[in-house]
Amino acid sequence: MLVIVCYDVSTETATGRRRLRRVAKVCESTGQRVQKSVFECRVELSGFEELERKLLAEIEPTQDCLRLYRVPDVRGAEMREHGHFKAVDFDGPLVL
Protein backbone atom coordinates (compact mmCIF):
# COMPACT_ATOMS: atom_id res chain seq x y z
CA MET A 1 0.00 0.00 0.00
CA LEU A 2 1.02 3.60 -0.46
CA VAL A 3 1.25 5.62 2.76
CA ILE A 4 1.54 9.40 2.81
CA VAL A 5 3.26 10.66 5.97
CA CYS A 6 2.87 14.35 6.87
CA TYR A 7 4.27 15.91 10.00
CA ASP A 8 4.71 19.24 11.70
CA VAL A 9 7.21 19.15 14.53
CA SER A 10 7.67 22.18 16.78
CA THR A 11 11.22 23.47 16.36
CA GLU A 12 11.15 26.30 18.89
CA THR A 13 13.58 24.44 21.15
CA ALA A 14 16.72 22.37 20.60
CA THR A 15 14.75 19.31 21.71
CA GLY A 16 12.14 20.00 19.04
CA ARG A 17 14.79 20.34 16.35
CA ARG A 18 16.24 16.97 17.39
CA ARG A 19 12.75 15.42 17.21
CA LEU A 20 12.33 16.84 13.71
CA ARG A 21 15.59 15.23 12.55
CA ARG A 22 14.64 11.88 14.13
CA VAL A 23 11.17 11.90 12.52
CA ALA A 24 12.70 12.71 9.12
CA LYS A 25 15.27 9.93 9.55
CA VAL A 26 12.53 7.35 10.27
CA CYS A 27 10.62 8.49 7.17
CA GLU A 28 13.75 8.48 4.98
CA SER A 29 14.44 4.88 5.99
CA THR A 30 11.02 3.82 4.69
CA GLY A 31 10.09 6.07 1.79
CA GLN A 32 10.97 9.08 -0.29
CA ARG A 33 10.59 12.75 0.54
CA VAL A 34 8.18 14.53 -1.79
CA GLN A 35 8.05 17.81 0.16
CA LYS A 36 9.89 19.09 3.22
CA SER A 37 7.61 17.32 5.71
CA VAL A 38 5.79 14.88 3.40
CA PHE A 39 6.92 11.39 2.47
CA GLU A 40 5.53 8.64 0.22
CA CYS A 41 6.14 5.14 1.55
CA ARG A 42 5.29 1.81 -0.07
CA VAL A 43 4.78 -0.74 2.68
CA GLU A 44 2.81 -3.83 3.58
CA LEU A 45 0.34 -3.68 6.49
CA SER A 46 2.98 -4.83 8.97
CA GLY A 47 5.39 -2.20 7.64
CA PHE A 48 2.71 0.46 8.08
CA GLU A 49 2.19 -0.52 11.70
CA GLU A 50 5.93 -0.53 12.36
CA LEU A 51 6.35 2.90 10.70
CA GLU A 52 3.51 4.33 12.78
CA ARG A 53 4.96 2.88 15.99
CA LYS A 54 8.43 4.33 15.27
CA LEU A 55 7.03 7.77 14.45
CA LEU A 56 4.81 7.87 17.52
CA ALA A 57 7.87 7.08 19.64
CA GLU A 58 9.62 10.18 18.26
CA ILE A 59 6.96 12.91 18.41
CA GLU A 60 5.68 14.93 21.36
CA PRO A 61 1.86 14.72 21.00
CA THR A 62 1.26 17.96 22.92
CA GLN A 63 3.47 19.95 20.51
CA ASP A 64 3.71 18.04 17.22
CA CYS A 65 1.30 16.79 14.56
CA LEU A 66 1.62 13.51 12.65
CA ARG A 67 -0.76 12.34 9.90
CA LEU A 68 -0.57 9.04 8.03
CA TYR A 69 -2.79 8.46 4.99
CA ARG A 70 -3.23 4.94 3.65
CA VAL A 71 -3.91 5.16 -0.08
CA PRO A 72 -5.48 1.99 -1.44
CA ASP A 73 -4.02 0.56 -4.63
CA VAL A 74 -7.12 0.99 -6.74
CA ARG A 75 -7.31 0.96 -10.49
CA GLY A 76 -7.78 4.41 -11.92
CA ALA A 77 -6.22 6.25 -8.99
CA GLU A 78 -4.50 9.37 -10.21
CA MET A 79 -1.79 11.66 -8.93
CA ARG A 80 -0.96 14.95 -10.60
CA GLU A 81 2.44 16.47 -10.08
CA HIS A 82 3.56 19.99 -10.96
CA GLY A 83 6.92 21.66 -10.54
CA HIS A 84 10.39 20.25 -10.00
CA PHE A 85 10.51 16.81 -8.44
CA LYS A 86 12.51 13.70 -9.28
CA ALA A 87 10.56 10.64 -8.15
CA VAL A 88 11.79 7.10 -7.76
CA ASP A 89 9.58 4.56 -9.52
CA PHE A 90 9.37 1.78 -6.93
CA ASP A 91 7.26 -0.38 -9.27
CA GLY A 92 9.64 -0.09 -12.24
CA PRO A 93 12.69 -2.25 -12.95
CA LEU A 94 15.70 -1.94 -10.67
CA VAL A 95 18.84 -1.07 -12.62
CA LEU A 96 22.19 -1.30 -10.85
Side-chain angles (χ1 to χ4, degrees), residues 62-94:
T62 61
Q63 299 176 26
D64 307 330
C65 178
L66 172 67
R67 298 177 73 109
L68 295 98
Y69 298 91
R70 290 180 9 179
V71 180
D73 291 327
V74 294
R75 185 168 244 161
E78 179 181 338
M79 187 275 297
R80 294 183 184 189
E81 182 179 308
H82 304 279
H84 177 72
F85 177 68
K86 194 171 229 172
V88 175
D89 181 6
F90 291 112
D91 296 326
L94 176 62

Side-chain angles (χ1 to χ4, degrees), residues 18-48:
R18 281 193 298 275
R19 280 197 318 272
L20 177 64
R21 287 191 297 273
R22 289 194 312 259
V23 167
K25 192 169 255 188
V26 169
C27 291
E28 288 169 346
S29 73
T30 307
Q32 68 178 343
R33 186 185 301 263
V34 294
Q35 290 185 2
K36 291 187 186 243
S37 296
V38 180
F39 284 78
E40 291 179 351
C41 307
R42 286 226 179 254
V43 294
E44 299 294 326
L45 181 58
S46 62
F48 171 75

